[in-house]
Amino acid sequence: MNASPRAQSDGEWLTSWDPEDEQSWDSALAWRTLWITTFCLTLGFVAWFLPSAIIPKLNSLGYTFSQSQLYWMAAMPGLAAGLMRLIWMVLPPMLGTRKMVSLSTLLLLASTLGWGVRVQEPSAPYWELMTLAFLAGIGGGVFSGFMPSTSYFFPKRLQGTALGLQAGLGNLGVSLVQLLTPYLIGMSFLAVVGGSQVMTTAGQPDRQVYYQNAAFIWMPLMVIGSVMAWTMLKSVPIKANIKQQFDIFGNVDTWYMTLLYIMTFGTFAGLSAQFGLLMSNLYGAGNPDIVQGAGATATVLVAGYDLPDPVRFVFLGPLIGAIARFAFSPLTDRMGGAVWTLISGIGLVAAIAYTIPGLTPDTSSAEALQGGFNQFLWGMLAIFLFSGIGNASTFKQMPMIFEKRQAGGVIGWTAAIAAFGPFFFGVGVTTFGAVVFYSIGIAWALMCIAITWLRYARPGAPKPG
C-alpha cells in the first residue's frame, strides 16, 4: 500500500497519522517499525539478562562472593530497569521512535562491553560488578519506550497482536542469552579479544572457557540495530509534555492495571533473573546440605544424586513465557484480554501452590531429592507459562481501556513498575525465604483475580477489555 498524503513524512516526523483510517494507514511502515524495533528490543533483553547468565558462574571463574551478594547482584538489573523505565516511558512523544530506538540501542553497548571485560579476570571489586549490573538495566528500561511508540503505528484491532509479537519476541532475548551462553563460552575461535579462563564445577574436572564471548558476540548486532533504526524508522507526531503524560495517574484503571502487570511481567522478569541461582542454591552446588567443598574436589553428600547444571534448564522458563506471550496475542484480539488475564491469574495460583513443596529439598535420599527437583522444575515452567499468557492479555487490555495518548503512558508506567520484578524477587527470597515469598505471590494473584473479574471480565463489567 502506498502512503496517502495524510501519512507522508516531513523528514523524520510523519506530518499526520491515523491508523484507524484504513484508507490512509501505511501498513508497510507500521510492520517495518514493528520488526526493527522488536530486533532492537530483543537485544535490550539480551543486555538486561546477560548478568543472569554470568552471575551464577562468577565463583566458578575465581570470584568469592557470598550467596547474598550474588542474589543482590542478580537483583540489581531489575531495580535499574524499573527506574530506567520511568524515564523511557515519557520519551516516545518527546524524542520520537527513530531517535529513541537508535540511541537507546547504542547505550546497550556500555554494560555488555563491561561484562565481557570483567569476566576475563576475577579481580573486579563488588561495587564495580554492581555498577555493571545496574547499567544492564538500560536494556530493560527501553521496553517502556519501545512498546508505546510501536502502539502508535497500529489500529486498536491489531494492537494485541502487534504488541504481543513485539513483547514476546523481545522476551526471547532472555532465553537467547541463557541458552547460547553455555555454547558460546566454549568456542575458542570466537575469542578474538582476550584469553581463556578456568571454570571449576563441583565434582567435575576444571574446564577452559572464554566467557567474554557471552557478551562480545552481541555487540556488532547492537550497532547494526542502531543503524537500522536511524536509517529506516519514522516518528508519529503524538505530542505531550511530561506534565500532560502524568495525567494517567488520576485514572483508577492505571493503578489496577499496574497491579495486574506486576502479577504477570513482574513474575516473568523476577523468575527469569533468579531462576539459575535459585536452582543452584536449592538443588545444586550452592546447597551445603548437598555439596561440600568447591571445584573438582567437591563432594556430593547425597549418594546417587545427579547434580543438575542450571545452565541446562534456566532458558526453558523464559522461552515458554515468551512463546506464550506472542502465541496467545491473536486470541486476545479475538476474545478480549480480560478473560485471558483471569485465566492467567487462576493458573498462577495453581502453579505456585504446586511449586512450593519443591522449594524445600528433601536430602534424605537421592530419589526424594530428585523428586523434589522435578516438582520444582515443572512448577516453575508452569508459572512461566501463565505469566506469559497474562503478559499478552494485559497489553491487549490497556489500549482498549485508555484513549491513545494515555494508553502509551500506561503501557510505559505499568512496564516500569513490573520491571522491578528481579529486584523484588531477589530481595524477597533473601529476606523472607522462598516458601514465604512464593506464598505472598499466591495472595497477590488472588487479589488480581478479584480485580480482573469485578472490573474487567464479568458480564456488565465497568471497563470490559
Side-chain angles (χ1 to χ4, degrees):
M1 175 188 293
N2 293 324
S4 74
R6 295 178 61 192
Q8 292 296 320
S9 63
D10 180 15
E12 172 189 349
W13 292 89
L14 297 166
T15 55
S16 64
W17 183 259
D18 183 9
E20 303 299 338
D21 183 349
E22 290 283 351
Q23 299 304 313
S24 68
W25 180 49
D26 185 356
S27 60
L29 174 60
W31 287 104
R32 182 169 75 242
T33 302
L34 174 69
W35 298 127
I36 293 174
T37 308
T38 298
F39 176 71
C40 294
L41 181 62
T42 302
L43 294 173
F45 273 83
V46 165
W48 187 18
F49 281 88
L50 178 63
S52 73
I54 292 175
I55 290 169
K57 294 298 184 183
L58 285 177
N59 286 353
S60 296
L61 294 173
Y63 285 97
T64 56
F65 298 124
S66 67
Q67 282 191 16
S68 178
Q69 285 178 311
L70 292 174
Y71 270 128
W72 275 99
M73 196 185 301
M76 185 54 64
L79 173 63
L83 298 174
M84 299 289 184
R85 286 187 178 189
L86 295 175
I87 299 172
W88 258 265
M89 65 176 279
V90 302
L91 295 183
M94 300 170 65
L95 290 182
T97 300
R98 176 174 173 250
K99 288 190 183 75
M100 181 189 62
V101 175
S102 57
L103 296 177
S104 298
T105 307
L106 274 183
L107 287 176
L108 304 176
L109 293 170
S111 64
T112 307
L113 174 63
W115 282 108
V117 170
R118 276 328 212 163
V119 293
Q120 296 183 57
E121 180 66 36
S123 59
Y126 185 64
W127 68 264
E128 184 176 334
L129 295 184
M130 287 289 279
T131 301
L132 290 177
F134 185 88
L135 290 176
I138 294 173
V142 302
F143 184 91
S144 282
F146 288 17
M147 294 292 288
S149 71
T150 298
S151 73
Y152 299 156
F153 286 85
F154 286 87
K156 285 187 175 182
R157 63 182 177 84
L158 290 176
Q159 285 191 4
T161 297
L163 295 181
L165 284 170
Q166 180 165 66
L169 293 174
N171 289 169
L172 282 177
V174 182
S175 286
L176 280 176
V177 73
Q178 293 178 340
L179 170 63
L180 295 181
T181 292
Y183 301 100
L184 292 173
I185 63 175
M187 298 179 180
S188 60
F189 65 91
L190 291 178
V192 295
V193 178
S196 65
Q197 306 91 47
V198 175
M199 184 170 70
T200 61
T201 303
Q204 299 179 16
D206 289 348
R207 179 186 173 197
Q208 188 178 42
V209 294
Y210 304 84
Y211 240 93
Q212 67 269 32
N213 293 350
F216 290 161
I217 194 69
W218 304 107
M219 295 177 65
L221 297 177
M222 292 171 181
V223 174
I224 291 171
S226 180
V227 172
M228 289 173 61
W230 186 261
T231 57
M232 300 175 68
L233 295 185
K234 300 289 184 181
S235 298
V236 174
I238 293 180
K239 296 294 185 180
N241 59 37
I242 293 178
K243 181 179 179 180
Q244 290 171 322
Q245 293 187 64
F246 281 0
D247 66 1
I248 62 174
F249 300 121
N251 190 328
V252 67
D253 289 297
T254 298
W255 303 106
Y256 287 145
M257 292 308 301
T258 301
L259 296 176
L260 299 185
Y261 201 56
I262 290 173
M263 175 185 73
T264 60
F265 186 77
T267 299
F268 172 85
L271 293 186
S272 296
Q274 302 286 351
F275 194 10
L277 272 177
L278 190 61
M279 183 182 296
S280 176
N281 291 335
L282 289 175
Y283 289 97
N287 187 337
D289 293 330
I290 297 175
V291 174
Q292 188 176 68
T297 60
T299 302
V300 178
L301 301 178
V302 182
Y305 178 61
D306 186 14
L307 201 67
D309 185 354
V311 299
R312 293 176 50 207
F313 300 100
V314 294
F315 75 94
L316 288 172
L319 178 64
I320 289 171
I323 291 175
R325 185 165 197 165
F326 63 75
F328 279 83
S329 292
L331 293 177
T332 67
D333 273 335
R334 290 201 295 269
M335 301 172 62
V339 64
W340 286 106
T341 301
L342 194 65
I343 292 170
S344 169
I346 295 170
L348 282 170
V349 169
I352 296 172
Y354 175 81
T355 306
I356 285 177
L359 300 176
T360 308
D362 181 355
T363 59
S364 61
S365 67
E367 291 76 15
L369 196 55
Q370 188 63 51
F373 172 75
N374 291 339
Q375 182 165 0
F376 165 77
L377 177 62
W378 285 108
M380 291 286 283
L381 296 184
I383 295 173
F384 275 108
L385 170 65
F386 287 107
S387 69
I389 293 172
N391 286 337
S393 61
T394 49
F395 264 52
K396 173 60 179 179
Q397 287 181 264
M398 285 183 269
M400 303 302 293
I401 294 170
F402 302 92
E403 56 98 0
K404 182 184 297 185
R405 179 181 60 79
Q406 282 197 328
V410 173
I411 288 173
W413 166 256
T414 57
I417 300 305
F420 286 109
F423 176 73
F424 288 135
F425 193 96
V427 173
V429 169
T430 302
T431 305
F432 302 110
V435 173
V436 173
F437 187 70
Y438 274 59
S439 300
I440 294 172
I442 289 179
W444 190 281
L446 288 171
M447 174 188 67
C448 290
I449 290 170
I451 292 172
T452 302
W453 174 253
L454 294 173
R455 184 72 177 173
Y456 307 113
R458 66 182 173 88
K463 289 286 184 177

